[in-house]
Amino acid sequence: MVLECRAHVIRHMTADLQKGGMGLRACLLGLLALFVTGKCSYSPEPDQLRTLPPGWVSLGRVDPEEELSLTFALRQQNLERLSKLVQAVSDPSSPRYGKYLTLEDVAELVRPSPLTLSTVQKWLLAAGARNCHSVTTQDFLTCWLSVRQAELLLSGAEFHRYVGGPTETHVVRSPRPYQLPKALASHVDFVGGLHRFPPTSSLRQRPEPQVAGTVGLHLGVTPSVIRERYNLTAQDVGSGTTNNSQACAQFLEQYFRDSDLAEFMRLFGGNFAHQASVARVVGQQGRGLAGIEASLDVQYLMSAGANISTWVYSNPGRHESQEPFLQWLLLLSNESALPHVHTVSYGDDEDSLSSAYIQRVNTEFMKAAARGLTLLFASGDSGAGCWSVSGRHQFRPSFPASSPYVTTVGGTSFQNPFRVTNEVVDYISGGGFSNVFPQPSYQEDAVAHFLSSSPNLPPSSYFNASGRAYPDVAALSDGYWVVSNNVPIPWVSGTSASTPVFGGLLSLINEHRILSGHPPLGFLNPRLYQQRGAGLFDVTRGCHESCLNEEVQGQGFCSGPGWDPVTGWGTPNFPALLKTLINP
């Protein structure tokens, strides 16, 4: 009865406002009566909140008059049509292959309904929200409210300040779930800036292996080692004559420094043409100490994708209620001209995220795919992962690595750590099967072959064999040299290294395609799986780590011929991959 009454009020208020026949005061009074009553409400993120992440400490409640910035994800339209369009523009056998949508096309398709836009705006206006900003697609709305207003607006929320992470970051979050009026159920997917804590980087600095003698050996992975292993010549660089560009994103008070990039190129970039500086920084670049993660991303994207214009998306989350990853998604929804390739070394445990959040972020990746963007995400550095569910252990997939609309990059090591040899699995390489997303059709045959032929499968109870399987490809992830804060640092490892390397090589291939009059690669996976890993070195040796019970850490999945959930289809053989992907 209450729900029917609310729906009736909404319909009449919307009609009256459109006619101009309702005064603002009456509108606000009606809205307050409609939304503040607490009998009917719903939680868009109903998953129970988990304990505070390790390394974070509460500093207590936030002052009620302190300002918060919250992002409201508005319900989109035509998502089934969007999915079909993504398939059409990404499938080489489709007549629409490569005919990407513009941002304006995407906006026209997914823009929330007029009812959704008016309902949410009036709800926020009644609560005292101000300085609200939307994006081109109109499906996100970011507003400022006081803590007091936010807690009234979001029933159950209770804002506390926390400090944690390697840089002692301060964030404002709610340890309790929030609820929205039932009248908003069909209009708001989730509210950002409440629950998700910044994940910490999982980059590792491994101890230097010991070896007798140094003749013919290298002392860690550098751009020249990458170029030798993946068969790039001195001519395999950008031309500097196209509008080709690439980008990486940095979060969580992670910054790169121009001086570090210059020193890195001085030390390691002498034998190939390269650009000496980043072309564009989108967002605020910090002035503090550089982070190894951000330094690594920029230096290896710009040395693998050599001489190609490079952007850096800097989303430090300086305001404590911002979620930097969400801010990056908003930037993608608000720029008409974007780099063709984006690499991101970021991930959360899939089970730590609500269904509402994870599904909506996946839709944002779908929008990017429709526009012809190639998004690469690191597969993670915890192998298959492990967590306990009702006393039973299972592997723990990572997101966004598990999204069916991104290309996920795993990690490898040299068989001999000091020689440019064949590659084997890097035991930290993330991979497995999503517990959220069903297996996309483009990879069904490859996954079925792996499951039927692998002699070392873990028990079936540990993973969801019908889920989206990842990674899709891999590259070296072990033993990198990085310059950070003017110091050369050796033996840095993680799929945060393999991801920008693979992304840079795809940017070089885009360069050839653009010069040949072809569109950029766009969403790569349908083509990658159709061509069954052509142009890639198949990695067939090694397993990644996991835990099969509380006492014993053991292997998860193992690599084998063809695709596997450790190294995907394998690592790039650049001239062969170029030949495979240059054709329209």
Side-chain angles (χ1 to χ4, degrees):
M1 180 66 182
V2 175
L3 188 54
E4 290 174 0
C5 175
R6 288 180 174 179
H8 178 77
V9 172
I10 279 283
R11 283 195 297 271
H12 280 276
M13 286 174 59
T14 303
D16 288 343
L17 276 174
Q18 288 170 343
K19 295 174 185 175
M22 188 180 220
L24 178 61
R25 183 171 180 276
C27 171
L28 295 182
L29 288 173
L31 279 165
L32 287 172
L34 170 66
F35 290 124
V36 172
T37 52
K39 290 186 178 179
C40 285
S41 61
Y42 86 107
S43 175
E45 302 194 67
D47 306 340
Q48 281 214 340
L49 295 185
R50 285 145 180 99
T51 56
L52 198 62
W56 290 88
V57 177
S58 173
L59 300 179
R61 291 288 296 271
V62 180
D63 186 293
E65 302 309 316
E66 188 166 322
E67 296 285 293
L68 291 176
S69 170
L70 298 178
T71 298
F72 301 84
L74 278 60
R75 185 69 49 86
Q76 300 151 314
Q77 300 189 96
N78 301 314
L79 297 187
E80 189 172 335
R81 282 179 58 196
L82 178 64
S83 176
K84 290 179 179 177
L85 281 169
V86 170
Q87 185 175 352
V89 300
S90 308
D91 183 349
S93 63
S94 164
R96 286 210 58 171
Y97 179 62
K99 297 177 181 177
Y100 304 125
L101 279 64
T102 65
L103 176 60
E104 291 69 27
D105 293 333
V106 173
E108 188 67 28
L109 190 66
V110 304
R111 182 180 292 120
S113 70
L115 178 60
T116 290
L117 292 170
S118 62
T119 301
V120 175
Q121 288 166 358
K122 285 179 280 189
W123 171 60
L124 292 172
L125 180 65
R130 55 202 170 278
N131 296 329
C132 292
H133 298 281
S134 189
V135 292
T136 300
T137 49
Q138 295 185 264
D139 46 8
F140 285 108
L141 196 60
T142 300
C143 298
W144 287 87
L145 304 94
S146 71
V147 168
R148 186 192 311 279
Q149 290 169 328
E151 290 182 349
L152 287 171
L153 184 76
L154 306 171
S155 175
E158 187 178 276
F159 290 95
H160 294 242
R161 178 169 282 104
Y162 298 88
V163 62
T167 58
E168 294 293 295
T169 302
H170 285 73
V171 300
V172 171
R173 297 291 185 265
S174 172
R176 297 172 54 190
Y178 67 94
Q179 292 188 318
L180 299 179
K182 197 73 174 179
L184 272 295
S186 61
H187 302 297
V188 175
D189 286 333
F190 70 89
V191 182
L194 273 83
H195 298 327
R196 286 168 290 281
F197 281 80
T200 57
S201 171
S202 53
L203 277 180
R204 310 183 187 190
Q205 188 175 5
R206 296 176 181 165
E208 183 176 344
Q210 300 300 309
V211 65
T214 59
V215 178
L217 304 181
H218 68 81
L219 297 176
V221 175
T222 64
S224 62
V225 171
I226 292 287
R227 298 177 77 82
E228 180 181 351
R229 169 56 187 158
Y230 297 141
N231 292 324
L232 282 83
T233 68
Q235 288 69 47
D236 290 319
V237 296
S239 66
T241 62
T242 70
N243 63 351
N244 191 20
S245 57
Q246 58 189 359
C248 59
Q250 59 188 34
F251 307 118
L252 317 175
E253 301 299 331
Q254 282 278 337
Y255 310 113
F256 80 97
R257 288 170 59 173
D258 292 324
S259 59
D260 289 338
L261 176 61
E263 178 66 7
F264 177 84
M265 289 301 186
R266 186 188 72 80
L267 291 173
F268 303 120
N271 60 351
F272 58 91
H274 59 266
Q275 297 196 1
S277 60
V278 167
R280 181 177 173 188
V281 175
V282 182
Q284 293 179 309
Q285 172 66 351
R287 295 175 181 169
L289 292 176
I292 293 180
E293 177 88 59
S295 303
L296 174 77
D297 287 342
V298 172
Q299 290 162 20
Y300 280 92
L301 181 62
M302 293 186 68
S303 55
N307 212 35
I308 290 175
S309 177
T310 302
W311 298 17
V312 174
Y313 283 84
S314 183
N315 298 272
R318 282 207 192 124
H319 190 273
E320 295 171 340
S321 59
Q322 286 179 350
E323 293 180 31
F325 183 66
L326 187 57
Q327 298 301 309
W328 176 72
L329 291 175
L330 266 63
L331 289 171
L332 295 188
S333 284
N334 213 31
E335 288 275 349
S336 294
L338 292 170
H340 302 309
V341 174
H342 296 251
T343 75
V344 187
S345 303
Y346 165 94
D348 280 304
D349 294 323
E350 202 179 62
D351 60 274
S352 71
L353 303 169
S354 73
S355 175
Y357 179 86
I358 207 170
Q359 294 291 349
R360 176 54 185 269
V361 170
N362 189 58
T363 299
E364 298 310 303
F365 298 150
M366 203 190 311
K367 287 160 59 178
R371 297 173 62 189
L373 304 183
T374 303
L375 303 185
L376 292 96
F377 277 84
S379 70
D381 300 329
S382 301
C386 192
W387 67 311
S388 180
V389 184
S390 303
R392 296 187 304 110
H393 291 282
Q394 293 181 359
F395 294 155
R396 194 173 201 181
S398 177
F399 180 81
S402 64
S403 166
Y405 293 103
V406 306
T407 298
T408 305
V409 186
T412 61
S413 303
F414 282 126
Q415 190 171 333
N416 180 328
F418 288 97
R419 293 188 184 276
V420 180
T421 58
N422 292 336
E423 293 162 76
V424 297
V425 170
D426 185 352
Y427 69 91
I428 66 173
S429 178
F433 294 79
S434 174
N435 290 320
V436 174
F437 300 107
Q439 205 165 98
S441 58
Y442 62 72
Q443 67 171 187
E444 286 175 349
D445 290 345
V447 175
H449 178 266
F450 170 78
L451 293 173
S452 64
S453 62
S454 175
N456 299 306
L457 280 180
S460 60
S461 61
Y462 278 77
F463 64 98
N464 171 29
S466 63
R468 158 35 170 166
Y470 70 96
D472 306 296
V473 292
L476 286 163
S477 58
D478 184 21
Y480 278 68
W481 280 90
V482 182
V483 175
S484 190
N485 300 302
N486 295 319
V487 178
I489 301 171
W491 301 105
V492 174
S493 299
T495 54
S496 295
S498 55
T499 305
V501 165
F502 206 101
L505 299 189
L506 292 181
S507 292
L508 292 181
I509 294 172
N510 272 340
E511 184 88 354
H512 285 270
R513 289 179 60 87
I514 292 168
L515 288 171
S516 301
H518 303 317
L521 289 166
F523 176 44
L524 185 62
N525 289 12
R527 182 166 186 162
L528 183 71
Y529 282 81
Q530 277 188 29
Q531 296 176 337
R532 302 192 62 78
L536 299 168
F537 292 118
D538 194 4
V539 180
T540 61
R541 294 185 55 186
C543 309
H544 64 181
E545 66 182 3
S546 181
C547 54
L548 295 179
N549 56 53
E550 290 183 4
E551 294 80 26
V552 180
Q553 182 168 317
Q555 71 179 37
F557 296 101
C558 296
S559 63
W563 179 89
D564 56 68
V566 191
T567 61
W569 287 108
T571 63
N573 178 4
F574 183 75
L577 189 60
L578 174 62
K579 184 178 179 180
T580 298
L581 296 179
I582 188 64
N583 297 321

